[in-house]
Amino acid sequence: MARRILGDLVHPEVRSLSLTLGIALAILLGVFASSGRAQTDFERLADDPALIERVDLTGEEYAGETYAWTGRAPIRHVFRREDGPTTATLWLRWGSKGDHRAARLRIGERSWVLERSAPDGFTWWPVLVPREWWSGEELSVGLDPIDGSGPHAFLSELRLRKTAELLAPEHLIEAEDLEGTWREQRNVSGYSGRGFRVSNADGVAEDTLSSMLEIEPGRWLVWCRGYEGNGQDRSFSLAIDGEVLPETHTSLERDAFEWQLAGEVVLEGAKHRLTVRDHGPGFECVDAIALTRDASFDPSLADRLREGPPGTEWHPDTMVDRLRERIVETTARSHRHFADRQSDLESWKAARPALIRGLRDVLGLEPLPERTPLNVRRVGTIERDGYRIEKIVFESRPGFEVPANVYVPSGIPDGERRAAVLNPVGHWGLSKAEPVVQSRCIGLARLGYVALTYDAFGQGERAIDGNGHGEYHRSVLVGRNNMTYMVWDTVRALDYLLTRDDVDPERIACTGASGGGLNTLYAAAIDERIRVAVPVVYVTGLEQFLETGITHCPCSHVNGLAGLGDMGDVAALTAPRAQLFITATRDSSFTPEGARVAEAQARPAYRLFGADDRLAVAEFDTGHDYDRDMREAMYRFLAVHLGGKEDRPVREPHFEVERDRAVLACYPAGRQPTSAVTVRDLGRRFAEQGEVTRAIDLGAAVAPVRERIDVDAGWRSLIERLSLEAPPRRVERWSTGTPFELRLTWSPGGAEGPTIVHLGGGTPSEPVLAVCSAWVRVEGLAAISSGVRHRMVTDSQLLGPGLPVLRAQAIASLFTGLKEEALGDWIVCTPESSLALSTLLAMDQATAGTVVYQRGLPGDWMELFDGSPAASAELTIWRGQERVDLSRRVEMLGSRWRTWPEDVPLEELLD
């Protein structure tokens, strides 16, 4: 007879260490985690003999628990154990508010990034701590904040528990040995024993699996191993003597076999009936059942040790870190190049034209486009108190229409010309109709200025298919980017203003916030007709910009800017014309520190002209905004430097913004017609006009593999100490001389065939291992999570060529190292189009006999302009259409370059 102790147990949810790396990274870091139930429920144990120490964290309160917050200060604690180190599990009581939290975990000398998206409240998150990580009797643990990662992590409790070094339970029952009609299968890797058992897929199976057990009386923990996830409910439950324990393996998100705790029972007598009951409607995959009386025992320990080494510091965050370091180094060199030309005024004047051409080049505006007819249409006028709003549409390029509103002061005498202010918008939801944009235009008009604002492409009335800011990735292929079109729209808006009888061409200013501030910065640098520039909540040094870790819009990533100069150097090109940087103390995207760095970079150029008073920074205690205080600082600056007035405060007049945005629309439907020319259309035109003139040469850029870091040592010693049979594979971490550090896992095959090199992870199947001499899984090239992928794609553009070329350099370096292995024939498998492109670029470095099986690579760049709405961001190469002839490269490789269809397993290709 069994008495259930934890029948109403609700196990805390514990996700993987990083959703971006899945199970392979969880194994590598030694994190005991699942997206279903916690591996141990020490909360409900009457006595926890495995507990080493419990630490309650205090400071603030949420959801009924006190907690410490890394946004306030790092979390630190030193655990002590007088009888020396032991293999342990660190349990983190992780808090969340239904959002994503991240921190850098430090255990001893090791550190890595922990990321977790979780429901509201607190859940447990476990990390395996091998004995080798202790420093004598002490184990130091800390969590540090990660700037720019989003909401900071907060924890309410830490627990350190001894982990059993017993690697076999007292009772282990394989599912294939249970009685019942569930099917026995072997088609999913990762099972224990001879296979696993599967219920029906059409509903909860009435049939059960069962077995009679002979177990001595006592308190027993009951564990079960099964497969969960892949989008289906695969949950099942166990019963002992008819007492049903809570279901396990409930997550829909995982895709793996793992152990989970079902509960704790007290058994009386000698014989007991164990039953497995179907619970979820999907395929329930039951693998094994374990019973143990040791509260510190975890049956997954042996599995994880056999899978790979715990505790190695490897995470996609390191790719971003290394890329940022390279960008910062490149920017520092280019800034010195700028600074060297500012030794005296004449040297600076001589160097400045070439630097402006360089800026226009990275903006995709060198040479400047033709100033085609504006074809201005006036489509309406709105009369208001003290001003009117003229609604116009102009063409910045043939057919590329820009809807704009011009705010004009009332009662301008005939023949009188007023100062005018361009107002490009940032990423505001309503674009030119956004209240914060209306406010500064109305304020300017009420103060006597002519103010023009317009919808940036992809926003407001221009938010149509083919105009999204994601078109950046197509534009880059033809040597353009988002700022190519946005800055040129501003230049042409200025051309329009200068056709007006009420605008003074000698008194033009430009101001905008966020992306509008970026637009202002670049437009002022390349167009000297702008006499005053006021970029708001944008100007920053590139290092400070990257340190925020925020996934900014691609607009912020101008191709090759780091090789030209820093953002302050761009601002220096505007000297001696007046500039005011407005920044906000609570702006996490573009920080006051970054603005001060940019000011310091631009200041020498102003001093050369004797114009120190024309460059200023104004800082406000607010967030990412352009609020009234900021606007009044702008009015004051314009009054001095555009109006020649005394420097004194200027108050904003009272006004009401238009609440009905339709009033400001320039098109009858409030949106451009679908027949309008879009950014995608322009990109297609450039692609059709372009020619392949030069190929990317990786030769000088690729360094051989500089260092191989053997990560086996600690892992193997732990395995030997625990008397485990170490698998014959080996694991190495390779430095490639690029931002990519690779992790190679070598698995022996069963034949004298070729070596298979699988880029982007992957698990070898038994049929594949049977026909190859070795399988080499290569991790570290793919940026799996959307945040890491976005940052790698966009940040790499600051260096110039882009992520595919950086990956190609790493792959070519990998090939150099593989040649040293004397592998003989080898086959490269690229399961992603982005890796296929990089492999294609690197193939000149490969051995003559190498064959590549690739997926998803377009046959020609034009497919990206004519095909699906979304072009893969990871195919983005600056001027790729003119630098890489895809079809020609594939033709040259002939039979060495083979397509790998999505629905064909690799083993079928190898037959």
Side-chain angles (χ1 to χ4, degrees):
M1 178 179 179
R3 180 162 55 89
R4 184 172 57 178
I5 301 298
L6 302 179
D8 60 346
L9 174 66
V10 178
H11 297 273
E13 179 181 359
V14 183
R15 294 185 185 271
S16 63
L17 169 66
S18 171
L19 299 177
T20 64
L21 288 182
I23 299 164
L25 183 57
I27 290 167
L28 181 65
L29 293 178
V31 174
F32 288 4
S34 76
S35 56
R37 302 182 182 279
Q39 305 286 4
T40 303
D41 189 11
F42 46 78
E43 288 287 274
R44 301 295 299 272
L45 295 176
D47 180 27
D48 186 3
L51 181 65
I52 296 173
E53 185 180 354
R54 167 183 170 176
V55 182
D56 290 318
L57 301 174
T58 61
E60 302 182 49
E61 186 172 347
Y62 180 69
E65 300 186 34
T66 60
Y67 68 88
W69 180 46
T70 59
R72 185 85 60 198
I75 297 172
R76 294 284 186 272
H77 185 73
V78 177
F79 291 95
R80 291 188 55 82
R81 191 169 185 272
E82 294 182 359
D83 52 351
T86 183
T87 300
T89 305
L90 172 68
W91 289 84
L92 312 171
R93 184 74 169 155
W94 189 270
S96 184
K97 298 185 178 180
D99 53 13
H100 182 84
R101 301 271 165 172
R104 181 171 290 277
L105 173 65
R106 301 184 184 278
I107 300 180
E109 297 179 354
R110 294 166 173 80
S111 73
W112 56 86
V113 173
L114 297 184
E115 298 179 272
R116 176 165 171 73
S117 296
D120 198 4
F122 292 86
T123 51
W124 286 105
W125 194 354
V127 180
L128 172 66
V129 181
R131 178 181 300 184
E132 289 79 3
W133 293 11
W134 290 69
S135 176
E137 297 178 343
E138 294 186 347
L139 180 72
S140 62
V141 173
L143 269 90
D144 294 337
I146 304 175
D147 292 337
S149 67
H152 292 289
F154 62 98
L155 282 76
S156 69
E157 187 178 327
L158 301 175
R159 290 194 188 187
L160 190 68
R161 302 178 71 252
K162 180 179 178 181
T163 298
E165 297 185 358
L166 172 69
L167 294 179
E170 291 152 275
H171 294 276
L172 177 65
I173 305 100
E174 297 287 353
E176 54 270 28
D177 296 328
L178 296 173
E179 299 175 355
T181 60
W182 289 19
R183 294 189 303 276
E184 184 175 328
Q185 292 186 189
R186 299 177 178 82
N187 61 324
V188 179
S189 61
Y191 57 82
S192 66
R194 304 186 309 273
F196 55 92
R197 301 289 288 275
V198 179
S199 71
N200 67 306
D202 299 324
V204 177
E206 296 181 1
D207 189 18
T208 62
L209 297 176
S210 64
S211 179
M212 288 300 297
L213 306 176
E214 291 192 8
I215 302 177
E216 61 188 88
R219 184 185 299 266
W220 294 84
L221 290 172
V222 183
W223 293 79
C224 54
R225 193 174 195 274
Y227 175 84
E228 69 177 344
N230 202 19
Q232 295 190 45
D233 182 352
R234 304 178 183 280
S235 58
F236 57 90
S237 63
L238 304 182
I240 297 183
D241 294 343
E243 295 288 345
V244 182
L245 299 174
E247 64 274 6
T248 64
H249 299 80
T250 58
S251 172
L252 306 183
E253 301 174 8
R254 292 279 281 177
D255 186 14
F257 282 98
E258 68 178 10
W259 287 98
Q260 293 181 13
L261 180 66
E264 184 182 18
V265 295
V266 173
L267 300 181
E268 300 171 358
K271 293 188 177 181
H272 308 275
R273 170 69 65 176
L274 170 67
T275 305
V276 179
R277 300 174 182 271
D278 189 359
H279 181 268
F283 282 100
E284 276 60 63
C285 304
V286 181
D287 188 26
I289 313 295
L291 288 90
T292 179
R293 288 174 292 188
D294 188 341
S296 65
F297 171 75
D298 187 327
S300 63
L301 177 59
D303 295 344
R304 294 178 186 278
L305 288 175
R306 290 189 179 96
E307 286 284 352
T312 51
E313 299 176 28
W314 186 89
H315 189 275
D317 182 69
T318 62
M319 295 188 294
V320 178
D321 289 344
R322 290 193 183 93
L323 178 58
R324 181 179 67 238
E325 290 169 2
R326 177 173 286 197
I327 295 170
V328 169
E329 291 172 359
T330 302
T331 304
R333 287 196 300 269
S334 59
H335 169 63
R336 288 194 295 271
H337 178 80
F338 252 79
D340 289 346
R341 279 144 185 78
Q342 295 172 349
S343 56
D344 57 74
L345 183 58
E346 293 308 313
S347 298
W348 176 239
K349 285 182 176 180
R352 189 170 167 275
L355 296 172
I356 291 176
R357 286 195 299 273
L359 177 60
R360 291 203 303 256
D361 185 56
V362 300
L363 288 171
L365 291 171
E366 177 61 27
L368 288 174
E370 179 185 356
R371 278 183 160 84
T372 51
L374 289 168
N375 296 329
V376 179
R377 302 198 314 272
R378 291 174 174 80
V379 296
T381 301
I382 306 168
E383 294 291 343
R384 292 292 183 261
D385 182 22
Y387 66 97
R388 70 178 183 274
I389 305 172
E390 298 176 4
K391 300 191 291 184
I392 68 169
V393 177
F394 66 89
E395 295 181 10
S396 62
R397 299 171 186 263
F400 194 54
E401 293 188 342
V402 182
N405 295 154
V406 187
Y407 293 72
V408 185
S410 299
I412 299 179
D414 290 343
E416 181 177 328
R417 292 179 179 269
R418 296 292 182 91
V421 183
L422 293 157
N423 289 269
V425 302
H427 296 90
W428 306 110
L430 301 179
S431 198
K432 68 180 185 300
E434 187 74 33
V436 72
V437 178
Q438 290 188 56
S439 294
R440 73 171 180 270
C441 290
I442 297 172
L444 286 164
R446 293 292 304 273
L447 290 169
Y449 300 91
V450 175
L452 180 150
T453 187
Y454 66 86
D455 286 336
F457 79 85
Q459 296 174 228
E461 296 184 84
R462 298 172 80 185
I464 60 175
D465 183 43
N467 254 3
H469 284 194
E471 294 298 321
Y472 170 92
H473 304 297
R474 291 187 177 93
S475 298
V476 164
L477 292 171
V478 293
R480 276 78 179 175
N481 49 55
N482 288 0
M483 297 315 299
T484 303
Y485 306 108
M486 298 171 82
V487 172
W488 190 242
D489 282 352
T490 298
V491 171
R492 299 313 313 276
L494 176 51
D495 288 344
Y496 161 72
L497 283 177
L498 297 186
T499 68
R500 297 179 60 102
D501 295 336
D502 53 3
V503 170
D504 183 350
E506 299 301 319
R507 293 190 295 151
I508 303 293
C510 188
T511 185
S514 193
L518 176 61
N519 194 326
T520 297
L521 181 71
Y522 287 136
I526 70 170
D527 196 326
E528 294 190 355
R529 297 175 298 175
I530 297 174
R531 309 305 299 170
V532 179
V534 185
V536 179
V537 290
Y538 188 87
V539 180
T540 178
L542 280 181
E543 181 174 4
Q544 292 71 38
F545 168 77
L546 295 171
E547 283 179 346
T548 67
I550 292 174
T551 53
H552 294 90
C553 176
C555 301
S556 299
H557 299 76
V558 172
N559 308 84
L561 178 63
L564 176 74
D566 210 335
M567 298 301 288
D569 298 319
V570 173
L573 296 175
T574 299
R577 291 170 285 134
Q579 278 190 104
L580 170 65
F581 303 160
I582 295 181
T583 185
T585 58
R586 287 180 272 132
D587 185 356
S588 60
S589 299
F590 306 98
T591 64
E593 178 190 3
R596 289 191 291 270
V597 167
E599 176 199 19
Q601 293 169 339
R603 181 68 64 186
Y606 277 84
R607 286 177 176 158
L608 288 176
F609 284 104
D612 232 2
D613 61 333
R614 297 182 192 171
L615 177 65
V617 176
E619 186 174 314
F620 294 87
D621 186 19
T622 186
H624 193 70
D625 201 355
Y626 202 159
D627 63 19
R628 178 170 180 165
D629 289 343
M630 293 170 159
R631 295 195 297 269
E632 290 183 345
M634 177 263 292
Y635 302 147
R636 180 176 183 171
F637 195 75
L638 294 188
V640 173
H641 296 284
L642 209 57
K645 298 180 180 180
E646 182 181 347
D647 184 11
R648 62 184 181 183
V650 178
R651 299 304 175 196
E652 183 174 80
H654 175 74
F655 54 78
E656 295 290 336
V657 301
E658 303 294 333
R659 298 301 176 184
D660 182 3
R661 62 175 178 169
V663 171
L664 300 173
C666 297
Y667 295 96
R671 179 135 331 161
Q672 285 183 328
T674 56
S675 58
V677 174
T678 65
V679 168
R680 191 183 305 168
D681 294 330
L682 295 176
R684 186 183 296 109
R685 290 179 189 175
F686 293 132
E688 291 170 345
Q689 298 166 2
E691 296 181 0
V692 178
T693 57
R694 54 199 173 99
I696 292 177
D697 179 15
L698 300 179
V702 175
V705 177
R706 298 180 305 179
E707 179 184 12
R708 295 186 189 176
I709 308 168
D710 183 2
V711 297
D712 283 356
W715 168 49
R716 291 185 181 278
S717 66
L718 187 58
I719 286 178
E720 291 169 0
R721 183 166 53 80
L722 300 178
S723 302
L724 272 175
E725 179 184 352
R729 71 176 66 182
R730 76 176 192 269
V731 182
E732 294 180 320
R733 214 167 67 211
W734 287 21
S735 176
T736 63
T738 77
F740 295 94
E741 184 180 85
L742 308 180
R743 181 176 187 262
L744 275 62
T745 302
W746 301 73
S747 299
E752 294 297 325
T755 296
I756 296 177
V757 179
H758 198 275
L759 304 181
T763 302
S765 65
E766 292 181 4
V768 171
L769 288 175
V771 297
C772 67
S773 58
W775 169 284
V776 184
R777 180 173 63 191
V778 182
E779 298 167 277
L781 288 166
I784 299 173
S785 76
S786 59
V788 172
R789 176 182 289 112
H790 181 99
R791 291 165 64 191
M792 290 296 291
V793 169
T794 55
D795 290 357
S796 65
Q797 292 297 328
L798 292 169
L799 289 175
L803 182 60
V805 177
L806 292 177
R807 277 191 176 133
Q809 293 170 352
I811 292 171
S813 184
L814 170 68
F815 287 163
T816 300
L818 290 176
K819 287 180 189 178
E820 299 173 3
E821 296 286 332
L823 300 177
D825 292 334
W826 39 299
I827 293 173
V828 177
C829 303
T830 62
E832 302 174 19
S833 59
S834 56
L835 295 178
L837 174 59
S838 297
T839 304
L840 182 66
L841 296 176
M843 277 298 285
D844 290 342
Q845 309 291 325
T847 57
T850 304
V851 173
V852 173
Y853 286 102
Q854 63 87 21
R855 280 181 177 161
L857 186 69
D860 188 86
W861 294 121
M862 288 302 297
E863 291 182 18
L864 301 183
F865 292 95
D866 297 330
S868 62
S872 172
E874 294 179 89
L875 296 179
T876 304
I877 296 179
W878 178 239
R879 302 189 189 279
Q881 190 267 345
E882 70 180 49
R883 301 178 71 191
V884 182
D885 188 330
L886 293 178
S887 58
R888 177 59 178 157
R889 274 184 171 264
V890 170
E891 180 182 347
M892 292 174 61
L893 291 173
S895 62
R896 296 171 59 201
W897 189 260
R898 305 179 186 180
T899 299
W900 179 6
E902 288 284 347
D903 57 348
V904 177
L906 181 59
E907 53 263 29
E908 292 186 16
L909 294 180
L910 300 176
D911 284 345

